[in-house]
Amino acid sequence: MARLKVAVLISGRGSNLQALIDASADPDFPAEIALVVSSQGDAGGLARARAAGIRTEVINHRAFNAKQGFEASIDATLRGARVDLVCLAGFMRILTPWFVERWRDRLVNIHPSLLPAFKGLDTHERVLAAGARFTGCTVHFVRPEMDEGPIIIQAAVPVMPDDDAETLAARVLAAEHRCYPLAVCLIAQGRIRVRNERVEIAGALAPAEVMMFNPVG
Ligand code: GRF
């Protein structure tokens, strides 16, 4: 069966991209990474993509006068590659409603918190400042409002008493690397449906597909 064609949009180190590349190396994984688009020419993730033989494109917003041109260029590149699904993985540009609506329910993001809590940047610092006992990560469909949209997969991750932002980020990142391939797999299998702005997973009674990430085994 043809595999779902996925593009990954990055701006940085690309460890989530790597998790998706590793998952798709299995011929039974129902999706392939057809294209990586980076907003930064020096993003570490570009080397990961090249090492895996994946086509890369750098589309830097500074090359365009307006956001419209930047996004139109990304959109044309994605369409030219006949991509079915777009994964944001550390892509540091906020996309306009124009782009988000063009890719509605075919555009997903990973965020390092249990949404709708702790939207935005500096997530782990704010989790620690709030004294939360659990945090986690969320893969969700993108909507025009930042870090909003129907939730596909979440993993809960405990906050340890001696955590700092770095140790917490590392624990959450390990969960991200498990969640993103799982979410893409479910989408590629055609098991995900958005109804009334909530995700239904065929063959799973909620919350059977929700993961509780256990760092000790
Ligand atoms: C991840 O923590 C992701 O949740 C957030 O940006 C970070 C990207 O890391 N959106 P990487 O580039 O995938 O290593």
Side-chain angles (χ1 to χ4, degrees):
M1 215 182 86
R3 305 210 286 171
L4 196 80
K5 284 184 102 174
V6 177
V8 185
L9 270 52
I10 62 167
S11 300
R13 71 188 159 182
S15 72
N16 278 290
L17 165 65
Q18 188 68 57
L20 292 168
I21 291 173
D22 293 346
S24 59
D26 180 345
D28 289 336
F29 192 76
E32 61 173 315
I33 315 301
L35 170 69
V36 170
V37 177
S38 175
S39 65
Q40 300 293 329
D42 59 356
L46 286 169
R48 297 177 189 268
R50 287 181 193 127
I54 297 167
R55 178 185 157 201
T56 60
E57 295 289 340
V58 175
I59 303 179
N60 192 312
H61 61 101
R62 289 195 193 88
F64 300 88
N65 293 329
K67 211 161 191 174
Q68 216 178 354
F70 170 62
E71 291 189 351
S73 171
I74 296 175
D75 180 65
T77 304
L78 297 172
R79 282 172 198 278
R82 301 197 175 282
V83 157
D84 303 305
L85 176 72
V86 180
C87 295
L88 305 180
F91 184 69
M92 296 307 283
R93 310 300 309 170
I94 292 173
L95 295 163
T96 66
W98 175 80
F99 185 93
V100 171
E101 291 304 336
R102 263 174 98 73
W103 289 90
R104 190 178 179 91
D105 295 345
R106 291 180 300 150
L107 177 63
V108 296
N109 180 45
I110 188 156
H111 181 75
S113 79
L114 286 175
L115 292 175
F118 301 106
K119 295 173 183 173
L121 296 174
D122 302 323
T123 324
H124 308 298
E125 284 84 350
R126 288 184 291 121
V127 164
L128 290 169
R133 296 294 188 247
F134 279 90
T135 181
C137 62
T138 305
V139 182
H140 64 98
F141 286 108
V142 175
R143 293 292 181 261
E145 305 77 31
M146 192 180 60
D147 297 329
E148 283 210 8
I151 291 167
I152 304 165
I153 290 284
Q154 290 187 306
V157 173
V159 180
M160 303 302 192
D162 56 353
D163 266 336
D164 57 25
E166 211 172 304
T167 58
L168 185 55
R171 195 175 308 117
V172 171
L173 196 62
E176 292 182 41
H177 296 162
R178 291 168 57 168
C179 280
Y180 222 164
L182 176 57
V184 169
C185 181
L186 290 169
I187 294 168
Q189 288 171 335
R191 292 173 61 193
I192 298 285
R193 190 165 77 141
V194 181
R195 200 163 70 159
N196 297 330
E197 283 302 85
R198 291 204 208 165
V199 166
E200 293 176 351
I201 303 176
L205 294 172
E209 298 281 0
V210 172
M211 301 201 320
M212 173 69 83
F213 181 69
N214 179 353
V216 288

